[in-house]
PDB file of all heavy atoms in Angstrom:
ATOM      1  N   GLY A   1     -11.494 -90.154  27.585  1.00 93.00           N
ATOM      2  CA  GLY A   1     -11.736 -91.563  27.300  1.00 93.00           C
ATOM      3  C   GLY A   1     -11.795 -91.859  25.855  1.00 93.00           C
ATOM      4  O   GLY A   1     -12.126 -91.002  25.002  1.00 93.00           O
ATOM      5  N   ARG A   2     -11.510 -93.110  25.526  1.00 94.00           N
ATOM      6  CA  ARG A   2     -11.370 -93.499  24.120  1.00 94.00           C
ATOM      7  C   ARG A   2     -12.684 -93.362  23.308  1.00 94.00           C
ATOM      8  O   ARG A   2     -12.699 -92.805  22.237  1.00 94.00           O
ATOM      9  CB  ARG A   2     -10.912 -94.971  24.069  1.00 94.00           C
ATOM     10  CG  ARG A   2     -10.688 -95.518  22.622  1.00 94.00           C
ATOM     11  CD  ARG A   2     -10.279 -96.978  22.624  1.00 94.00           C
ATOM     12  NE  ARG A   2      -9.077 -97.155  23.394  1.00 94.00           N
ATOM     13  CZ  ARG A   2      -8.421 -98.343  23.484  1.00 94.00           C
ATOM     14  NH1 ARG A   2      -8.918 -99.404  22.855  1.00 94.00           N
ATOM     15  NH2 ARG A   2      -7.342 -98.466  24.194  1.00 94.00           N
ATOM     16  N   ALA A   3     -13.765 -93.898  23.881  1.00 96.00           N
ATOM     17  CA  ALA A   3     -14.992 -93.914  23.101  1.00 96.00           C
ATOM     18  C   ALA A   3     -15.522 -92.528  22.876  1.00 96.00           C
ATOM     19  O   ALA A   3     -16.013 -92.213  21.771  1.00 96.00           O
ATOM     20  CB  ALA A   3     -16.081 -94.800  23.831  1.00 96.00           C
ATOM     21  N   VAL A   4     -15.493 -91.670  23.879  1.00 95.00           N
ATOM     22  CA  VAL A   4     -15.988 -90.293  23.723  1.00 95.00           C
ATOM     23  C   VAL A   4     -15.106 -89.540  22.694  1.00 95.00           C
ATOM     24  O   VAL A   4     -15.629 -88.830  21.825  1.00 95.00           O
ATOM     25  CB  VAL A   4     -15.990 -89.555  25.077  1.00 95.00           C
ATOM     26  CG1 VAL A   4     -16.334 -88.082  24.835  1.00 95.00           C
ATOM     27  CG2 VAL A   4     -17.019 -90.202  26.000  1.00 95.00           C
ATOM     28  N   ALA A   5     -13.817 -89.695  22.817  1.00 95.00           N
ATOM     29  CA  ALA A   5     -12.909 -89.052  21.853  1.00 95.00           C
ATOM     30  C   ALA A   5     -13.195 -89.513  20.427  1.00 95.00           C
ATOM     31  O   ALA A   5     -13.213 -88.691  19.472  1.00 95.00           O
ATOM     32  CB  ALA A   5     -11.474 -89.295  22.252  1.00 95.00           C
ATOM     33  N   LYS A   6     -13.381 -90.798  20.248  1.00 96.00           N
ATOM     34  CA  LYS A   6     -13.679 -91.319  18.917  1.00 96.00           C
ATOM     35  C   LYS A   6     -14.959 -90.682  18.360  1.00 96.00           C
ATOM     36  O   LYS A   6     -15.038 -90.307  17.180  1.00 96.00           O
ATOM     37  CB  LYS A   6     -13.804 -92.805  18.946  1.00 96.00           C
ATOM     38  CG  LYS A   6     -12.463 -93.567  19.026  1.00 96.00           C
ATOM     39  CD  LYS A   6     -12.705 -95.043  19.030  1.00 96.00           C
ATOM     40  CE  LYS A   6     -11.366 -95.781  18.983  1.00 96.00           C
ATOM     41  NZ  LYS A   6     -11.574 -97.258  19.017  1.00 96.00           N
ATOM     42  N   GLU A   7     -15.986 -90.597  19.215  1.00 96.00           N
ATOM     43  CA  GLU A   7     -17.256 -90.030  18.737  1.00 96.00           C
ATOM     44  C   GLU A   7     -17.042 -88.606  18.256  1.00 96.00           C
ATOM     45  O   GLU A   7     -17.513 -88.201  17.198  1.00 96.00           O
ATOM     46  CB  GLU A   7     -18.307 -90.073  19.851  1.00 96.00           C
ATOM     47  CG  GLU A   7     -19.636 -89.424  19.477  1.00 96.00           C
ATOM     48  CD  GLU A   7     -20.614 -89.332  20.648  1.00 96.00           C
ATOM     49  OE1 GLU A   7     -20.389 -90.020  21.626  1.00 96.00           O
ATOM     50  OE2 GLU A   7     -21.539 -88.519  20.530  1.00 96.00           O
ATOM     51  N   TRP A   8     -16.340 -87.803  19.067  1.00 95.00           N
ATOM     52  CA  TRP A   8     -16.153 -86.401  18.730  1.00 95.00           C
ATOM     53  C   TRP A   8     -15.296 -86.253  17.449  1.00 95.00           C
ATOM     54  O   TRP A   8     -15.603 -85.391  16.631  1.00 95.00           O
ATOM     55  CB  TRP A   8     -15.495 -85.667  19.908  1.00 95.00           C
ATOM     56  CG  TRP A   8     -16.371 -85.532  21.077  1.00 95.00           C
ATOM     57  CD1 TRP A   8     -17.696 -85.848  21.200  1.00 95.00           C
ATOM     58  CD2 TRP A   8     -16.014 -85.080  22.395  1.00 95.00           C
ATOM     59  NE1 TRP A   8     -18.171 -85.601  22.473  1.00 95.00           N
ATOM     60  CE2 TRP A   8     -17.134 -85.134  23.232  1.00 95.00           C
ATOM     61  CE3 TRP A   8     -14.788 -84.650  22.977  1.00 95.00           C
ATOM     62  CZ2 TRP A   8     -17.109 -84.734  24.600  1.00 95.00           C
ATOM     63  CZ3 TRP A   8     -14.793 -84.218  24.264  1.00 95.00           C
ATOM     64  CH2 TRP A   8     -15.937 -84.297  25.045  1.00 95.00           C
ATOM     65  N   ILE A   9     -14.287 -87.093  17.296  1.00 95.00           N
ATOM     66  CA  ILE A   9     -13.432 -86.954  16.124  1.00 95.00           C
ATOM     67  C   ILE A   9     -14.146 -87.493  14.912  1.00 95.00           C
ATOM     68  O   ILE A   9     -14.119 -86.895  13.846  1.00 95.00           O
ATOM     69  CB  ILE A   9     -12.095 -87.716  16.367  1.00 95.00           C
ATOM     70  CG1 ILE A   9     -11.253 -87.000  17.416  1.00 95.00           C
ATOM     71  CG2 ILE A   9     -11.286 -87.822  15.077  1.00 95.00           C
ATOM     72  CD1 ILE A   9     -10.033 -87.772  17.905  1.00 95.00           C
ATOM     73  N   PHE A  10     -14.824 -88.675  15.017  1.00 96.00           N
ATOM     74  CA  PHE A  10     -15.519 -89.237  13.872  1.00 96.00           C
ATOM     75  C   PHE A  10     -16.644 -88.333  13.352  1.00 96.00           C
ATOM     76  O   PHE A  10     -16.906 -88.333  12.157  1.00 96.00           O
ATOM     77  CB  PHE A  10     -16.108 -90.583  14.259  1.00 96.00           C
ATOM     78  CG  PHE A  10     -15.118 -91.661  14.572  1.00 96.00           C
ATOM     79  CD1 PHE A  10     -15.542 -92.847  15.138  1.00 96.00           C
ATOM     80  CD2 PHE A  10     -13.749 -91.464  14.356  1.00 96.00           C
ATOM     81  CE1 PHE A  10     -14.617 -93.893  15.429  1.00 96.00           C
ATOM     82  CE2 PHE A  10     -12.842 -92.491  14.640  1.00 96.00           C
ATOM     83  CZ  PHE A  10     -13.254 -93.669  15.199  1.00 96.00           C
ATOM     84  N   THR A  11     -17.282 -87.594  14.254  1.00 95.00           N
ATOM     85  CA  THR A  11     -18.420 -86.751  13.845  1.00 95.00           C
ATOM     86  C   THR A  11     -18.047 -85.314  13.591  1.00 95.00           C
ATOM     87  O   THR A  11     -18.888 -84.494  13.222  1.00 95.00           O
ATOM     88  CB  THR A  11     -19.513 -86.802  14.900  1.00 95.00           C
ATOM     89  OG1 THR A  11     -19.036 -86.297  16.149  1.00 95.00           O
ATOM     90  CG2 THR A  11     -20.047 -88.201  15.163  1.00 95.00           C
ATOM     91  N   ALA A  12     -16.799 -84.963  13.874  1.00 94.00           N
ATOM     92  CA  ALA A  12     -16.283 -83.543  13.744  1.00 94.00           C
ATOM     93  C   ALA A  12     -17.139 -82.652  14.626  1.00 94.00           C
ATOM     94  O   ALA A  12     -17.413 -81.511  14.284  1.00 94.00           O
ATOM     95  CB  ALA A  12     -16.329 -83.088  12.275  1.00 94.00           C
ATOM     96  N   ARG A  13     -17.512 -83.157  15.762  1.00 94.00           N
ATOM     97  CA  ARG A  13     -18.419 -82.460  16.646  1.00 94.00           C
ATOM     98  C   ARG A  13     -17.761 -81.205  17.309  1.00 94.00           C
ATOM     99  O   ARG A  13     -16.593 -81.214  17.643  1.00 94.00           O
ATOM    100  CB  ARG A  13     -18.907 -83.385  17.770  1.00 94.00           C
ATOM    101  CG  ARG A  13     -20.004 -82.793  18.656  1.00 94.00           C
ATOM    102  CD  ARG A  13     -20.616 -83.833  19.515  1.00 94.00           C
ATOM    103  NE  ARG A  13     -21.543 -83.251  20.475  1.00 94.00           N
ATOM    104  CZ  ARG A  13     -22.043 -83.923  21.459  1.00 94.00           C
ATOM    105  NH1 ARG A  13     -21.769 -85.203  21.600  1.00 94.00           N
ATOM    106  NH2 ARG A  13     -22.931 -83.364  22.261  1.00 94.00           N
ATOM    107  N   ARG A  14     -18.596 -80.158  17.468  1.00 95.00           N
ATOM    108  CA  ARG A  14     -18.187 -78.964  18.163  1.00 95.00           C
ATOM    109  C   ARG A  14     -18.910 -78.900  19.547  1.00 95.00           C
ATOM    110  O   ARG A  14     -20.100 -79.111  19.546  1.00 95.00           O
ATOM    111  CB  ARG A  14     -18.463 -77.736  17.339  1.00 95.00           C
ATOM    112  CG  ARG A  14     -17.783 -77.763  15.982  1.00 95.00           C
ATOM    113  CD  ARG A  14     -18.035 -76.534  15.185  1.00 95.00           C
ATOM    114  NE  ARG A  14     -17.378 -76.627  13.885  1.00 95.00           N
ATOM    115  CZ  ARG A  14     -16.992 -75.590  13.126  1.00 95.00           C
ATOM    116  NH1 ARG A  14     -17.236 -74.357  13.555  1.00 95.00           N
ATOM    117  NH2 ARG A  14     -16.402 -75.756  11.971  1.00 95.00           N
ATOM    118  N   LEU A  15     -18.128 -78.595  20.553  1.00 95.00           N
ATOM    119  CA  LEU A  15     -18.689 -78.587  21.907  1.00 95.00           C
ATOM    120  C   LEU A  15     -18.677 -77.142  22.472  1.00 95.00           C
ATOM    121  O   LEU A  15     -17.768 -76.360  22.260  1.00 95.00           O
ATOM    122  CB  LEU A  15     -17.851 -79.442  22.845  1.00 95.00           C
ATOM    123  CG  LEU A  15     -17.915 -80.987  22.641  1.00 95.00           C
ATOM    124  CD1 LEU A  15     -16.872 -81.353  21.580  1.00 95.00           C
ATOM    125  CD2 LEU A  15     -17.588 -81.661  23.933  1.00 95.00           C
ATOM    126  N   GLY A  16     -19.715 -76.833  23.225  1.00 95.00           N
ATOM    127  CA  GLY A  16     -19.766 -75.636  23.995  1.00 95.00           C
ATOM    128  C   GLY A  16     -19.038 -75.792  25.303  1.00 95.00           C
ATOM    129  O   GLY A  16     -18.662 -76.933  25.726  1.00 95.00           O
ATOM    130  N   ALA A  17     -18.831 -74.708  26.014  1.00 95.00           N
ATOM    131  CA  ALA A  17     -18.063 -74.735  27.271  1.00 95.00           C
ATOM    132  C   ALA A  17     -18.664 -75.608  28.324  1.00 95.00           C
ATOM    133  O   ALA A  17     -17.980 -76.357  29.026  1.00 95.00           O
ATOM    134  CB  ALA A  17     -17.857 -73.303  27.769  1.00 95.00           C
ATOM    135  N   ALA A  18     -20.039 -75.561  28.443  1.00 95.00           N
ATOM    136  CA  ALA A  18     -20.664 -76.327  29.483  1.00 95.00           C
ATOM    137  C   ALA A  18     -20.481 -77.799  29.315  1.00 95.00           C
ATOM    138  O   ALA A  18     -20.189 -78.540  30.289  1.00 95.00           O
ATOM    139  CB  ALA A  18     -22.184 -75.966  29.525  1.00 95.00           C
ATOM    140  N   GLU A  19     -20.652 -78.301  28.079  1.00 95.00           N
ATOM    141  CA  GLU A  19     -20.467 -79.731  27.849  1.00 95.00           C
ATOM    142  C   GLU A  19     -19.016 -80.141  28.007  1.00 95.00           C
ATOM    143  O   GLU A  19     -18.712 -81.198  28.563  1.00 95.00           O
ATOM    144  CB  GLU A  19     -20.962 -80.131  26.468  1.00 95.00           C
ATOM    145  CG  GLU A  19     -20.862 -81.647  26.205  1.00 95.00           C
ATOM    146  CD  GLU A  19     -21.445 -82.076  24.868  1.00 95.00           C
ATOM    147  OE1 GLU A  19     -21.857 -81.197  24.091  1.00 95.00           O
ATOM    148  OE2 GLU A  19     -21.432 -83.283  24.617  1.00 95.00           O
ATOM    149  N   ALA A  20     -18.102 -79.257  27.495  1.00 95.00           N
ATOM    150  CA  ALA A  20     -16.690 -79.533  27.660  1.00 95.00           C
ATOM    151  C   ALA A  20     -16.310 -79.658  29.158  1.00 95.00           C
ATOM    152  O   ALA A  20     -15.468 -80.538  29.522  1.00 95.00           O
ATOM    153  CB  ALA A  20     -15.875 -78.471  27.008  1.00 95.00           C
ATOM    154  N   HIS A  21     -16.911 -78.817  29.983  1.00 96.00           N
ATOM    155  CA  HIS A  21     -16.630 -78.873  31.415  1.00 96.00           C
ATOM    156  C   HIS A  21     -17.203 -80.131  32.003  1.00 96.00           C
ATOM    157  O   HIS A  21     -16.554 -80.842  32.824  1.00 96.00           O
ATOM    158  CB  HIS A  21     -17.194 -77.659  32.123  1.00 96.00           C
ATOM    159  CG  HIS A  21     -16.953 -77.593  33.584  1.00 96.00           C
ATOM    160  ND1 HIS A  21     -17.901 -77.895  34.527  1.00 96.00           N
ATOM    161  CD2 HIS A  21     -15.816 -77.271  34.284  1.00 96.00           C
ATOM    162  CE1 HIS A  21     -17.361 -77.763  35.706  1.00 96.00           C
ATOM    163  NE2 HIS A  21     -16.135 -77.392  35.611  1.00 96.00           N
ATOM    164  N   ALA A  22     -18.446 -80.502  31.620  1.00 94.00           N
ATOM    165  CA  ALA A  22     -19.089 -81.739  32.166  1.00 94.00           C
ATOM    166  C   ALA A  22     -18.320 -82.963  31.812  1.00 94.00           C
ATOM    167  O   ALA A  22     -18.317 -83.940  32.593  1.00 94.00           O
ATOM    168  CB  ALA A  22     -20.497 -81.775  31.637  1.00 94.00           C
ATOM    169  N   ARG A  23     -17.664 -82.964  30.635  1.00 93.00           N
ATOM    170  CA  ARG A  23     -16.887 -84.130  30.181  1.00 93.00           C
ATOM    171  C   ARG A  23     -15.468 -84.120  30.712  1.00 93.00           C
ATOM    172  O   ARG A  23     -14.708 -85.055  30.414  1.00 93.00           O
ATOM    173  CB  ARG A  23     -16.870 -84.197  28.670  1.00 93.00           C
ATOM    174  CG  ARG A  23     -18.239 -84.421  28.032  1.00 93.00           C
ATOM    175  CD  ARG A  23     -18.676 -85.874  28.224  1.00 93.00           C
ATOM    176  NE  ARG A  23     -19.804 -86.223  27.349  1.00 93.00           N
ATOM    177  CZ  ARG A  23     -20.237 -87.455  27.206  1.00 93.00           C
ATOM    178  NH1 ARG A  23     -19.684 -88.442  27.827  1.00 93.00           N
ATOM    179  NH2 ARG A  23     -21.282 -87.676  26.372  1.00 93.00           N
ATOM    180  N   GLY A  24     -15.075 -83.114  31.439  1.00 93.00           N
ATOM    181  CA  GLY A  24     -13.712 -83.044  31.982  1.00 93.00           C
ATOM    182  C   GLY A  24     -12.686 -82.496  31.032  1.00 93.00           C
ATOM    183  O   GLY A  24     -11.458 -82.602  31.282  1.00 93.00           O
ATOM    184  N   LEU A  25     -13.150 -81.886  29.937  1.00 95.00           N
ATOM    185  CA  LEU A  25     -12.221 -81.364  28.948  1.00 95.00           C
ATOM    186  C   LEU A  25     -11.653 -80.020  29.394  1.00 95.00           C
ATOM    187  O   LEU A  25     -10.481 -79.669  29.109  1.00 95.00           O
ATOM    188  CB  LEU A  25     -12.940 -81.183  27.592  1.00 95.00           C
ATOM    189  CG  LEU A  25     -12.148 -80.691  26.422  1.00 95.00           C
ATOM    190  CD1 LEU A  25     -10.937 -81.571  26.150  1.00 95.00           C
ATOM    191  CD2 LEU A  25     -13.017 -80.612  25.181  1.00 95.00           C
ATOM    192  N   VAL A  26     -12.469 -79.233  30.094  1.00 96.00           N
ATOM    193  CA  VAL A  26     -11.992 -77.976  30.649  1.00 96.00           C
ATOM    194  C   VAL A  26     -12.186 -77.981  32.194  1.00 96.00           C
ATOM    195  O   VAL A  26     -13.087 -78.658  32.696  1.00 96.00           O
ATOM    196  CB  VAL A  26     -12.695 -76.726  30.063  1.00 96.00           C
ATOM    197  CG1 VAL A  26     -12.543 -76.699  28.580  1.00 96.00           C
ATOM    198  CG2 VAL A  26     -14.142 -76.715  30.430  1.00 96.00           C
ATOM    199  N   ASN A  27     -11.309 -77.298  32.874  1.00 97.00           N
ATOM    200  CA  ASN A  27     -11.330 -77.280  34.347  1.00 97.00           C
ATOM    201  C   ASN A  27     -12.354 -76.281  34.930  1.00 97.00           C
ATOM    202  O   ASN A  27     -12.977 -76.597  35.949  1.00 97.00           O
ATOM    203  CB  ASN A  27      -9.957 -76.959  34.876  1.00 97.00           C
ATOM    204  CG  ASN A  27      -8.911 -77.936  34.502  1.00 97.00           C
ATOM    205  OD1 ASN A  27      -8.359 -77.882  33.390  1.00 97.00           O
ATOM    206  ND2 ASN A  27      -8.626 -78.874  35.375  1.00 97.00           N
ATOM    207  N   ARG A  28     -12.482 -75.158  34.272  1.00 96.00           N
ATOM    208  CA  ARG A  28     -13.388 -74.106  34.816  1.00 96.00           C
ATOM    209  C   ARG A  28     -14.031 -73.396  33.622  1.00 96.00           C
ATOM    210  O   ARG A  28     -13.443 -73.254  32.552  1.00 96.00           O
ATOM    211  CB  ARG A  28     -12.632 -73.078  35.669  1.00 96.00           C
ATOM    212  CG  ARG A  28     -11.989 -73.720  36.888  1.00 96.00           C
ATOM    213  CD  ARG A  28     -11.381 -72.686  37.811  1.00 96.00           C
ATOM    214  NE  ARG A  28     -10.718 -73.330  38.929  1.00 96.00           N
ATOM    215  CZ  ARG A  28     -10.105 -72.632  39.958  1.00 96.00           C
ATOM    216  NH1 ARG A  28     -10.092 -71.331  39.919  1.00 96.00           N
ATOM    217  NH2 ARG A  28      -9.554 -73.321  40.911  1.00 96.00           N
TER     218      ARG A  28
END
């Protein structure tokens, strides 16, 4: 989604696997 992607790019945020999975970024 647009807003979540903007937040991550604007803040240079790093995500762990669990959050990435919860957000639909990774499948498993």
Side-chain angles (χ1 to χ4, degrees):
R2 181 183 302 184
V4 173
K6 283 181 176 179
E7 178 186 342
W8 292 351
I9 293 171
F10 293 171
T11 62
R13 186 168 175 190
R14 302 183 181 204
L15 292 86
E19 183 176 3
H21 182 257
R23 293 287 195 171
L25 182 57
V26 302
N27 297 83
R28 299 185 183 182

